[in-house]
Every structure is written in C-alpha cells, then in structure tokens.
C-alpha cells in the first residue's frame, strides 16, 4: 500500500516535470514562429512605440548605413551622424529617395571629447528621439528604454554620448537606455 502511494507521487512528479519541459519547448516554438515567420507580415510600428526619430552614428557606410536605411524603411525619420559630410549627404539622399522619410545630418568626430555635446544638443533639440543606434569599431549597439539602475553597469563613451546627448537635447526624459550587442 505504502509503495503504491510512493509510485503515485513519483508518477505525478514525473508528469509535472514532463509537462514543464513540453510547455517550455512549445513556448520557444511559438516565440520562434512570431519572430521569424509572423514578423514578415506583422511588423511593430516603431514610430508609435519609440517616437518619430532615430539617431544613428557611424551612418556613412557599413552597418550604420544599413541600420539607418532599415529604420527609415520601418517608418522612422533618421538623424545621421558621422565624420564625412559628403558620405552623409549621399546616404541621406538615398534614404529620402527610397523611403520618403526625413533625414538630418550631423558631421561629428567623436574624438573631439566633451566639446561635441553642445553641437549635438543643438542639432537634436525638439526632435522626438526614441532610438539611438551607435555603430563603429565593428559592432553595433542599440539603446532604448530600461530601468535607471542599469546605467552604472554601462560605462564608456557610448553611455556618455547616449545619456548626455539625448537627455540634454529632448524635452522628455530619454535617459533610460541599455545596449545590446
């Protein structure tokens, strides 16, 4: 009798563990279907979710250029930042022609230290910025909302640029960012 009760509890425990594993796999499958199949037809409205403008640094070529074009294709106006103004203008013209989104260019060298912030602040003033993409040095980082307690964990010039530029140049608080690489 006692042995039968033990087997029933073990049977129940095994069923619960199996149910958990099956549900976890089904959930993973559903997320995969949502992200890789349904996303082709069911797109997130980035403009509604994040705001009207995206800022992309390193936008004159490579990943930055592709990132800026995709954001424009998805309905956002784009601020392009890079060192080479001729390349920036060419990219801006391409984006405006292909996607009919507005662009704004800022010629800027990030090695300029803290002196660059007033120029960026002035250029970004009164824009509804929701996304900042920082590219360069063979990596891309996107910044968007998260809790303020993560800020101390992200150091370096990336956060400095992100936080100082956007929080100083916008009427709404945009200082909550994180980066994904």
């Amino acid at each position: 009798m006692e042995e039968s009760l033990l087997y029933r509890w073990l049977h129940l425990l095994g069923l619960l563990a199996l149910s958990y594993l099956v549900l976890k796999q089904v959930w993973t499958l559903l997320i995969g279907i949502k992200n890789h199949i349904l996303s082709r037809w069911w797109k997130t409205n980035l403009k509604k979710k994040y705001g009207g403008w995206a800022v992309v640094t390193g936008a004159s070529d490579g990943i930055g250029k592709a990132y800026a074009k995709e954001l424009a294709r998805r309905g956002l106006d784009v601020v392009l930042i890079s060192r080479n103004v001729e390349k920036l203008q060419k990219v801006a013209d391409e984006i405006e022609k292909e996607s009919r989104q507005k662009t704004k260019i800022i010629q800027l060298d990030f090695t300029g230290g803290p002196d660059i912030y007033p120029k960026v602040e002035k250029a970004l003033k009164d824009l509804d910025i929701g996304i900042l993409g920082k590219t360069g040095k063979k990596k891309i980082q996107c910044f968007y909302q998260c809790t303020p307690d993560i800020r101390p964990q992200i150091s370096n010039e990336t956060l400095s640029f992100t936080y100082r530029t956007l929080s100083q140049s916008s009427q709404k608080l945009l200082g909550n960012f994180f980066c994904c690489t």
Side-chain angles (χ1 to χ4, degrees), residues 15-56:
L15 284 175
L16 288 174
L18 181 62
S19 298
Y20 169 76
L21 292 173
V22 168
L23 286 174
K24 187 176 174 182
Q25 292 303 315
V26 168
W27 182 255
T28 302
L29 178 65
L30 291 174
I31 295 297
I33 290 170
K34 176 189 165 275
N35 290 340
H36 299 290
I37 296 171
L38 295 179
S39 66
R40 294 179 186 160
W41 301 282
W42 184 18
K43 300 232 184 255
T44 301
N45 184 341
L46 296 178
K47 194 171 209 167
K48 184 177 178 181
K49 188 171 183 176
Y50 296 112
W53 286 85
V55 178
V56 180

mmCIF file of all heavy atoms in Angstrom, residues 15-56:
data_model
loop_
_atom_site.group_PDB
_atom_site.id
_atom_site.type_symbol
_atom_site.label_atom_id
_atom_site.label_comp_id
_atom_site.label_asym_id
_atom_site.label_seq_id
_atom_site.Cartn_x
_atom_site.Cartn_y
_atom_site.Cartn_z
ATOM 1 N N LEU A 15 5.180 13.470 -14.345
ATOM 2 C CA LEU A 15 4.259 14.132 -15.264
ATOM 3 C C LEU A 15 4.403 15.658 -15.203
ATOM 4 O O LEU A 15 4.352 16.334 -16.240
ATOM 5 C CB LEU A 15 2.819 13.722 -14.962
ATOM 6 C CG LEU A 15 2.407 12.331 -15.419
ATOM 7 C CD1 LEU A 15 0.989 12.012 -14.948
ATOM 8 C CD2 LEU A 15 2.499 12.217 -16.927
ATOM 9 N N LEU A 16 4.567 16.186 -14.009
ATOM 10 C CA LEU A 16 4.760 17.634 -13.872
ATOM 11 C C LEU A 16 6.055 18.086 -14.555
ATOM 12 O O LEU A 16 6.072 19.099 -15.257
ATOM 13 C CB LEU A 16 4.759 18.041 -12.397
ATOM 14 C CG LEU A 16 3.412 18.001 -11.686
ATOM 15 C CD1 LEU A 16 3.592 18.276 -10.195
ATOM 16 C CD2 LEU A 16 2.457 19.012 -12.302
ATOM 17 N N ALA A 17 7.122 17.332 -14.348
ATOM 18 C CA ALA A 17 8.406 17.682 -14.974
ATOM 19 C C ALA A 17 8.296 17.594 -16.495
ATOM 20 O O ALA A 17 8.768 18.483 -17.221
ATOM 21 C CB ALA A 17 9.519 16.766 -14.466
ATOM 22 N N LEU A 18 7.670 16.547 -16.992
ATOM 23 C CA LEU A 18 7.485 16.389 -18.430
ATOM 24 C C LEU A 18 6.604 17.502 -18.994
ATOM 25 O O LEU A 18 6.904 18.068 -20.051
ATOM 26 C CB LEU A 18 6.876 15.025 -18.735
ATOM 27 C CG LEU A 18 6.650 14.713 -20.212
ATOM 28 C CD1 LEU A 18 7.987 14.700 -20.962
ATOM 29 C CD2 LEU A 18 5.941 13.387 -20.367
ATOM 30 N N SER A 19 5.539 17.848 -18.282
ATOM 31 C CA SER A 19 4.660 18.936 -18.711
ATOM 32 C C SER A 19 5.422 20.256 -18.806
ATOM 33 O O SER A 19 5.261 21.018 -19.761
ATOM 34 C CB SER A 19 3.482 19.096 -17.756
ATOM 35 O OG SER A 19 2.703 17.941 -17.733
ATOM 36 N N TYR A 20 6.240 20.508 -17.807
ATOM 37 C CA TYR A 20 7.054 21.734 -17.812
ATOM 38 C C TYR A 20 7.963 21.769 -19.039
ATOM 39 O O TYR A 20 8.037 22.773 -19.742
ATOM 40 C CB TYR A 20 7.888 21.816 -16.525
ATOM 41 C CG TYR A 20 8.930 22.901 -16.577
ATOM 42 C CD1 TYR A 20 8.578 24.239 -16.418
ATOM 43 C CD2 TYR A 20 10.265 22.592 -16.800
ATOM 44 C CE1 TYR A 20 9.530 25.234 -16.488
ATOM 45 C CE2 TYR A 20 11.230 23.578 -16.869
ATOM 46 C CZ TYR A 20 10.865 24.906 -16.707
ATOM 47 O OH TYR A 20 11.822 25.889 -16.781
ATOM 48 N N LEU A 21 8.656 20.671 -19.320
ATOM 49 C CA LEU A 21 9.570 20.627 -20.464
ATOM 50 C C LEU A 21 8.826 20.782 -21.788
ATOM 51 O O LEU A 21 9.281 21.487 -22.691
ATOM 52 C CB LEU A 21 10.378 19.332 -20.447
ATOM 53 C CG LEU A 21 11.387 19.200 -19.292
ATOM 54 C CD1 LEU A 21 12.008 17.812 -19.287
ATOM 55 C CD2 LEU A 21 12.466 20.268 -19.395
ATOM 56 N N VAL A 22 7.669 20.147 -21.920
ATOM 57 C CA VAL A 22 6.884 20.264 -23.151
ATOM 58 C C VAL A 22 6.384 21.695 -23.329
ATOM 59 O O VAL A 22 6.492 22.279 -24.411
ATOM 60 C CB VAL A 22 5.716 19.253 -23.160
ATOM 61 C CG1 VAL A 22 4.731 19.552 -24.274
ATOM 62 C CG2 VAL A 22 6.250 17.843 -23.282
ATOM 63 N N LEU A 23 5.850 22.281 -22.274
ATOM 64 C CA LEU A 23 5.362 23.660 -22.355
ATOM 65 C C LEU A 23 6.489 24.640 -22.685
ATOM 66 O O LEU A 23 6.295 25.583 -23.457
ATOM 67 C CB LEU A 23 4.670 24.065 -21.057
ATOM 68 C CG LEU A 23 3.286 23.463 -20.836
ATOM 69 C CD1 LEU A 23 2.764 23.821 -19.443
ATOM 70 C CD2 LEU A 23 2.317 23.932 -21.905
ATOM 71 N N LYS A 24 7.661 24.409 -22.116
ATOM 72 C CA LYS A 24 8.810 25.268 -22.403
ATOM 73 C C LYS A 24 9.187 25.189 -23.883
ATOM 74 O O LYS A 24 9.464 26.208 -24.521
ATOM 75 C CB LYS A 24 9.988 24.843 -21.514
ATOM 76 C CG LYS A 24 11.171 25.748 -21.597
ATOM 77 C CD LYS A 24 12.240 25.306 -20.609
ATOM 78 C CE LYS A 24 13.495 26.128 -20.781
ATOM 79 N NZ LYS A 24 14.557 25.696 -19.889
ATOM 80 N N GLN A 25 9.187 23.989 -24.444
ATOM 81 C CA GLN A 25 9.513 23.822 -25.861
ATOM 82 C C GLN A 25 8.433 24.421 -26.768
ATOM 83 O O GLN A 25 8.742 25.036 -27.781
ATOM 84 C CB GLN A 25 9.727 22.339 -26.193
ATOM 85 C CG GLN A 25 10.953 21.741 -25.560
ATOM 86 C CD GLN A 25 12.224 22.493 -25.936
ATOM 87 O OE1 GLN A 25 12.454 22.829 -27.080
ATOM 88 N NE2 GLN A 25 13.043 22.778 -24.943
ATOM 89 N N VAL A 26 7.177 24.249 -26.397
ATOM 90 C CA VAL A 26 6.081 24.836 -27.171
ATOM 91 C C VAL A 26 6.179 26.357 -27.143
ATOM 92 O O VAL A 26 6.008 27.025 -28.168
ATOM 93 C CB VAL A 26 4.710 24.345 -26.650
ATOM 94 C CG1 VAL A 26 3.568 25.156 -27.227
ATOM 95 C CG2 VAL A 26 4.532 22.868 -26.952
ATOM 96 N N TRP A 27 6.476 26.921 -25.979
ATOM 97 C CA TRP A 27 6.626 28.377 -25.853
ATOM 98 C C TRP A 27 7.777 28.868 -26.737
ATOM 99 O O TRP A 27 7.641 29.869 -27.451
ATOM 100 C CB TRP A 27 6.870 28.758 -24.395
ATOM 101 C CG TRP A 27 6.990 30.245 -24.208
ATOM 102 C CD1 TRP A 27 8.125 30.956 -23.979
ATOM 103 C CD2 TRP A 27 5.935 31.192 -24.249
ATOM 104 N NE1 TRP A 27 7.848 32.290 -23.876
ATOM 105 C CE2 TRP A 27 6.494 32.459 -24.044
ATOM 106 C CE3 TRP A 27 4.557 31.103 -24.449
ATOM 107 C CZ2 TRP A 27 5.738 33.629 -24.027
ATOM 108 C CZ3 TRP A 27 3.807 32.271 -24.440
ATOM 109 C CH2 TRP A 27 4.402 33.506 -24.222
ATOM 110 N N THR A 28 8.901 28.163 -26.718
ATOM 111 C CA THR A 28 10.042 28.531 -27.550
ATOM 112 C C THR A 28 9.666 28.462 -29.031
ATOM 113 O O THR A 28 10.030 29.346 -29.813
ATOM 114 C CB THR A 28 11.241 27.599 -27.263
ATOM 115 O OG1 THR A 28 11.569 27.690 -25.875
ATOM 116 C CG2 THR A 28 12.450 27.970 -28.093
ATOM 117 N N LEU A 29 8.928 27.449 -29.408
ATOM 118 C CA LEU A 29 8.476 27.309 -30.790
ATOM 119 C C LEU A 29 7.555 28.464 -31.180
ATOM 120 O O LEU A 29 7.701 29.050 -32.259
ATOM 121 C CB LEU A 29 7.754 25.973 -30.973
ATOM 122 C CG LEU A 29 7.186 25.704 -32.362
ATOM 123 C CD1 LEU A 29 8.307 25.588 -33.393
ATOM 124 C CD2 LEU A 29 6.350 24.440 -32.352
ATOM 125 N N LEU A 30 6.615 28.830 -30.312
ATOM 126 C CA LEU A 30 5.707 29.938 -30.598
ATOM 127 C C LEU A 30 6.451 31.263 -30.728
ATOM 128 O O LEU A 30 6.144 32.065 -31.616
ATOM 129 C CB LEU A 30 4.622 30.033 -29.516
ATOM 130 C CG LEU A 30 3.599 28.902 -29.504
ATOM 131 C CD1 LEU A 30 2.677 29.032 -28.300
ATOM 132 C CD2 LEU A 30 2.811 28.866 -30.801
ATOM 133 N N ILE A 31 7.424 31.498 -29.870
ATOM 134 C CA ILE A 31 8.233 32.721 -29.961
ATOM 135 C C ILE A 31 9.007 32.729 -31.279
ATOM 136 O O ILE A 31 9.102 33.757 -31.957
ATOM 137 C CB ILE A 31 9.199 32.838 -28.757
ATOM 138 C CG1 ILE A 31 8.411 33.016 -27.465
ATOM 139 C CG2 ILE A 31 10.197 33.967 -28.950
ATOM 140 C CD1 ILE A 31 7.592 34.275 -27.388
ATOM 141 N N GLY A 32 9.557 31.594 -31.666
ATOM 142 C CA GLY A 32 10.268 31.489 -32.938
ATOM 143 C C GLY A 32 9.355 31.773 -34.121
ATOM 144 O O GLY A 32 9.740 32.481 -35.059
ATOM 145 N N ILE A 33 8.154 31.237 -34.091
ATOM 146 C CA ILE A 33 7.189 31.498 -35.166
ATOM 147 C C ILE A 33 6.847 32.986 -35.213
ATOM 148 O O ILE A 33 6.821 33.589 -36.289
ATOM 149 C CB ILE A 33 5.923 30.636 -34.984
ATOM 150 C CG1 ILE A 33 6.248 29.168 -35.265
ATOM 151 C CG2 ILE A 33 4.788 31.120 -35.883
ATOM 152 C CD1 ILE A 33 5.144 28.204 -34.885
ATOM 153 N N LYS A 34 6.621 33.576 -34.058
ATOM 154 C CA LYS A 34 6.302 35.015 -34.000
ATOM 155 C C LYS A 34 7.450 35.850 -34.556
ATOM 156 O O LYS A 34 7.237 36.757 -35.360
ATOM 157 C CB LYS A 34 6.015 35.434 -32.566
ATOM 158 C CG LYS A 34 5.774 36.912 -32.394
ATOM 159 C CD LYS A 34 5.704 37.279 -30.916
ATOM 160 C CE LYS A 34 5.820 38.743 -30.687
ATOM 161 N NZ LYS A 34 7.177 39.237 -30.615
ATOM 162 N N ASN A 35 8.678 35.546 -34.143
ATOM 163 C CA ASN A 35 9.824 36.362 -34.535
ATOM 164 C C ASN A 35 10.280 36.141 -35.968
ATOM 165 O O ASN A 35 10.740 37.082 -36.616
ATOM 166 C CB ASN A 35 10.998 36.110 -33.591
ATOM 167 C CG ASN A 35 10.761 36.663 -32.220
ATOM 168 O OD1 ASN A 35 9.923 37.528 -32.018
ATOM 169 N ND2 ASN A 35 11.496 36.164 -31.250
ATOM 170 N N HIS A 36 10.185 34.926 -36.464
ATOM 171 C CA HIS A 36 10.778 34.624 -37.759
ATOM 172 C C HIS A 36 9.775 34.446 -38.891
ATOM 173 O O HIS A 36 10.147 34.533 -40.054
ATOM 174 C CB HIS A 36 11.662 33.375 -37.658
ATOM 175 C CG HIS A 36 12.790 33.561 -36.699
ATOM 176 N ND1 HIS A 36 13.851 34.393 -36.951
ATOM 177 C CD2 HIS A 36 13.003 33.051 -35.463
ATOM 178 C CE1 HIS A 36 14.681 34.372 -35.919
ATOM 179 N NE2 HIS A 36 14.191 33.562 -35.009
ATOM 180 N N ILE A 37 8.524 34.176 -38.575
ATOM 181 C CA ILE A 37 7.539 33.971 -39.635
ATOM 182 C C ILE A 37 6.495 35.090 -39.628
ATOM 183 O O ILE A 37 6.319 35.786 -40.625
ATOM 184 C CB ILE A 37 6.878 32.584 -39.508
ATOM 185 C CG1 ILE A 37 7.950 31.496 -39.707
ATOM 186 C CG2 ILE A 37 5.753 32.429 -40.529
ATOM 187 C CD1 ILE A 37 7.484 30.099 -39.406
ATOM 188 N N LEU A 38 5.828 35.278 -38.510
ATOM 189 C CA LEU A 38 4.787 36.305 -38.447
ATOM 190 C C LEU A 38 5.341 37.726 -38.563
ATOM 191 O O LEU A 38 4.638 38.616 -39.030
ATOM 192 C CB LEU A 38 3.998 36.171 -37.142
ATOM 193 C CG LEU A 38 3.185 34.891 -36.979
ATOM 194 C CD1 LEU A 38 2.478 34.874 -35.630
ATOM 195 C CD2 LEU A 38 2.190 34.735 -38.106
ATOM 196 N N SER A 39 6.592 37.935 -38.176
ATOM 197 C CA SER A 39 7.165 39.282 -38.223
ATOM 198 C C SER A 39 7.282 39.818 -39.643
ATOM 199 O O SER A 39 7.402 41.019 -39.846
ATOM 200 C CB SER A 39 8.534 39.307 -37.544
ATOM 201 O OG SER A 39 9.456 38.525 -38.269
ATOM 202 N N ARG A 40 7.252 38.945 -40.630
ATOM 203 C CA ARG A 40 7.286 39.399 -42.028
ATOM 204 C C ARG A 40 6.017 40.160 -42.393
ATOM 205 O O ARG A 40 6.036 41.039 -43.234
ATOM 206 C CB ARG A 40 7.461 38.212 -42.957
ATOM 207 C CG ARG A 40 8.799 37.548 -42.799
ATOM 208 C CD ARG A 40 8.951 36.370 -43.715
ATOM 209 N NE ARG A 40 10.214 35.704 -43.401
ATOM 210 C CZ ARG A 40 10.485 34.468 -43.718
ATOM 211 N NH1 ARG A 40 9.603 33.751 -44.368
ATOM 212 N NH2 ARG A 40 11.638 33.943 -43.397
ATOM 213 N N TRP A 41 4.893 39.804 -41.774
ATOM 214 C CA TRP A 41 3.630 40.451 -42.082
ATOM 215 C C TRP A 41 3.134 41.329 -40.942
ATOM 216 O O TRP A 41 2.365 42.246 -41.162
ATOM 217 C CB TRP A 41 2.567 39.392 -42.398
ATOM 218 C CG TRP A 41 2.960 38.541 -43.541
ATOM 219 C CD1 TRP A 41 2.900 38.865 -44.861
ATOM 220 C CD2 TRP A 41 3.498 37.225 -43.482
ATOM 221 N NE1 TRP A 41 3.361 37.828 -45.624
ATOM 222 C CE2 TRP A 41 3.738 36.792 -44.793
ATOM 223 C CE3 TRP A 41 3.818 36.348 -42.443
ATOM 224 C CZ2 TRP A 41 4.263 35.564 -45.107
ATOM 225 C CZ3 TRP A 41 4.339 35.117 -42.757
ATOM 226 C CH2 TRP A 41 4.552 34.730 -44.074
ATOM 227 N N TRP A 42 3.528 41.021 -39.731
ATOM 228 C CA TRP A 42 3.015 41.696 -38.546
ATOM 229 C C TRP A 42 4.151 42.488 -37.923
ATOM 230 O O TRP A 42 4.790 42.048 -36.989
ATOM 231 C CB TRP A 42 2.472 40.646 -37.593
ATOM 232 C CG TRP A 42 1.811 41.155 -36.367
ATOM 233 C CD1 TRP A 42 1.344 42.393 -36.128
ATOM 234 C CD2 TRP A 42 1.550 40.404 -35.182
ATOM 235 N NE1 TRP A 42 0.807 42.473 -34.882
ATOM 236 C CE2 TRP A 42 0.927 41.255 -34.287
ATOM 237 C CE3 TRP A 42 1.790 39.099 -34.808
ATOM 238 C CZ2 TRP A 42 0.533 40.846 -33.021
ATOM 239 C CZ3 TRP A 42 1.396 38.686 -33.553
ATOM 240 C CH2 TRP A 42 0.773 39.552 -32.679
ATOM 241 N N LYS A 43 4.390 43.677 -38.449
ATOM 242 C CA LYS A 43 5.533 44.492 -38.030
ATOM 243 C C LYS A 43 5.149 45.408 -36.867
ATOM 244 O O LYS A 43 4.035 45.908 -36.794
ATOM 245 C CB LYS A 43 6.028 45.336 -39.189
ATOM 246 C CG LYS A 43 6.476 44.508 -40.365
ATOM 247 C CD LYS A 43 7.839 44.897 -40.789
ATOM 248 C CE LYS A 43 8.257 44.134 -42.018
ATOM 249 N NZ LYS A 43 9.190 43.115 -41.774
ATOM 250 N N THR A 44 6.121 45.632 -35.990
ATOM 251 C CA THR A 44 5.949 46.583 -34.906
ATOM 252 C C THR A 44 6.020 47.983 -35.478
ATOM 253 O O THR A 44 6.911 48.290 -36.274
ATOM 254 C CB THR A 44 7.067 46.403 -33.860
ATOM 255 O OG1 THR A 44 7.014 45.068 -33.374
ATOM 256 C CG2 THR A 44 6.919 47.377 -32.719
ATOM 257 N N ASN A 45 5.118 48.833 -35.084
ATOM 258 C CA ASN A 45 5.139 50.222 -35.511
ATOM 259 C C ASN A 45 6.159 50.961 -34.642
ATOM 260 O O ASN A 45 5.857 51.393 -33.531
ATOM 261 C CB ASN A 45 3.753 50.851 -35.378
ATOM 262 C CG ASN A 45 3.696 52.262 -35.904
ATOM 263 O OD1 ASN A 45 4.727 52.928 -36.062
ATOM 264 N ND2 ASN A 45 2.491 52.726 -36.158
ATOM 265 N N LEU A 46 7.385 51.087 -35.145
ATOM 266 C CA LEU A 46 8.463 51.700 -34.369
ATOM 267 C C LEU A 46 8.184 53.161 -34.056
ATOM 268 O O LEU A 46 8.521 53.642 -32.977
ATOM 269 C CB LEU A 46 9.791 51.569 -35.117
ATOM 270 C CG LEU A 46 10.316 50.157 -35.330
ATOM 271 C CD1 LEU A 46 11.610 50.190 -36.121
ATOM 272 C CD2 LEU A 46 10.513 49.443 -34.012
ATOM 273 N N LYS A 47 7.588 53.861 -34.991
ATOM 274 C CA LYS A 47 7.298 55.284 -34.785
ATOM 275 C C LYS A 47 6.329 55.474 -33.623
ATOM 276 O O LYS A 47 6.522 56.338 -32.780
ATOM 277 C CB LYS A 47 6.737 55.886 -36.066
ATOM 278 C CG LYS A 47 6.715 57.377 -36.084
ATOM 279 C CD LYS A 47 6.338 57.878 -37.478
ATOM 280 C CE LYS A 47 6.987 59.221 -37.695
ATOM 281 N NZ LYS A 47 6.956 59.645 -39.076
ATOM 282 N N LYS A 48 5.312 54.637 -33.577
ATOM 283 C CA LYS A 48 4.324 54.719 -32.494
ATOM 284 C C LYS A 48 4.927 54.273 -31.163
ATOM 285 O O LYS A 48 4.668 54.855 -30.120
ATOM 286 C CB LYS A 48 3.115 53.852 -32.844
ATOM 287 C CG LYS A 48 1.992 53.930 -31.854
ATOM 288 C CD LYS A 48 0.820 53.092 -32.332
ATOM 289 C CE LYS A 48 -0.309 53.127 -31.325
ATOM 290 N NZ LYS A 48 -1.447 52.310 -31.750
ATOM 291 N N LYS A 49 5.761 53.239 -31.207
ATOM 292 C CA LYS A 49 6.310 52.659 -29.977
ATOM 293 C C LYS A 49 7.437 53.499 -29.375
ATOM 294 O O LYS A 49 7.528 53.654 -28.174
ATOM 295 C CB LYS A 49 6.808 51.247 -30.264
ATOM 296 C CG LYS A 49 7.221 50.479 -29.032
ATOM 297 C CD LYS A 49 7.489 49.032 -29.360
ATOM 298 C CE LYS A 49 7.830 48.268 -28.096
ATOM 299 N NZ LYS A 49 8.004 46.842 -28.346
ATOM 300 N N TYR A 50 8.331 54.037 -30.224
ATOM 301 C CA TYR A 50 9.524 54.707 -29.714
ATOM 302 C C TYR A 50 9.580 56.201 -29.974
ATOM 303 O O TYR A 50 10.318 56.914 -29.322
ATOM 304 C CB TYR A 50 10.790 54.067 -30.303
ATOM 305 C CG TYR A 50 10.962 52.644 -29.888
ATOM 306 C CD1 TYR A 50 10.842 51.610 -30.803
ATOM 307 C CD2 TYR A 50 11.233 52.312 -28.568
ATOM 308 C CE1 TYR A 50 10.999 50.304 -30.424
ATOM 309 C CE2 TYR A 50 11.383 51.004 -28.171
ATOM 310 C CZ TYR A 50 11.265 50.000 -29.109
ATOM 311 O OH TYR A 50 11.412 48.701 -28.725
ATOM 312 N N GLY A 51 8.885 56.710 -30.957
ATOM 313 C CA GLY A 51 8.964 58.126 -31.293
ATOM 314 C C GLY A 51 9.299 58.285 -32.765
ATOM 315 O O GLY A 51 9.587 57.327 -33.469
ATOM 316 N N GLY A 52 9.285 59.510 -33.228
ATOM 317 C CA GLY A 52 9.412 59.775 -34.646
ATOM 318 C C GLY A 52 10.805 59.716 -35.235
ATOM 319 O O GLY A 52 10.961 59.546 -36.434
ATOM 320 N N TRP A 53 11.830 59.866 -34.404
ATOM 321 C CA TRP A 53 13.192 59.968 -34.922
ATOM 322 C C TRP A 53 14.105 58.900 -34.331
ATOM 323 O O TRP A 53 13.977 58.535 -33.171
ATOM 324 C CB TRP A 53 13.782 61.338 -34.602
ATOM 325 C CG TRP A 53 13.224 62.431 -35.439
ATOM 326 C CD1 TRP A 53 12.064 63.142 -35.208
ATOM 327 C CD2 TRP A 53 13.775 62.972 -36.638
ATOM 328 N NE1 TRP A 53 11.872 64.065 -36.185
ATOM 329 C CE2 TRP A 53 12.912 63.984 -37.081
ATOM 330 C CE3 TRP A 53 14.915 62.675 -37.385
ATOM 331 C CZ2 TRP A 53 13.156 64.716 -38.239
ATOM 332 C CZ3 TRP A 53 15.154 63.416 -38.526
ATOM 333 C CH2 TRP A 53 14.292 64.420 -38.956
ATOM 334 N N ALA A 54 15.044 58.462 -35.162
ATOM 335 C CA ALA A 54 16.121 57.577 -34.720
ATOM 336 C C ALA A 54 17.430 58.301 -35.008
ATOM 337 O O ALA A 54 17.557 58.991 -36.023
ATOM 338 C CB ALA A 54 16.083 56.257 -35.475
ATOM 339 N N VAL A 55 18.402 58.151 -34.139
ATOM 340 C CA VAL A 55 19.731 58.730 -34.325
ATOM 341 C C VAL A 55 20.695 57.570 -34.559
ATOM 342 O O VAL A 55 20.740 56.637 -33.764
ATOM 343 C CB VAL A 55 20.178 59.538 -33.094
ATOM 344 C CG1 VAL A 55 21.581 60.094 -33.286
ATOM 345 C CG2 VAL A 55 19.194 60.662 -32.800
ATOM 346 N N VAL A 56 21.464 57.637 -35.648
ATOM 347 C CA VAL A 56 22.415 56.577 -35.967
ATOM 348 C C VAL A 56 23.791 57.199 -36.146
ATOM 349 O O VAL A 56 23.981 58.065 -36.993
ATOM 350 C CB VAL A 56 22.015 55.814 -37.254
ATOM 351 C CG1 VAL A 56 23.032 54.727 -37.560
ATOM 352 C CG2 VAL A 56 20.625 55.227 -37.117
#
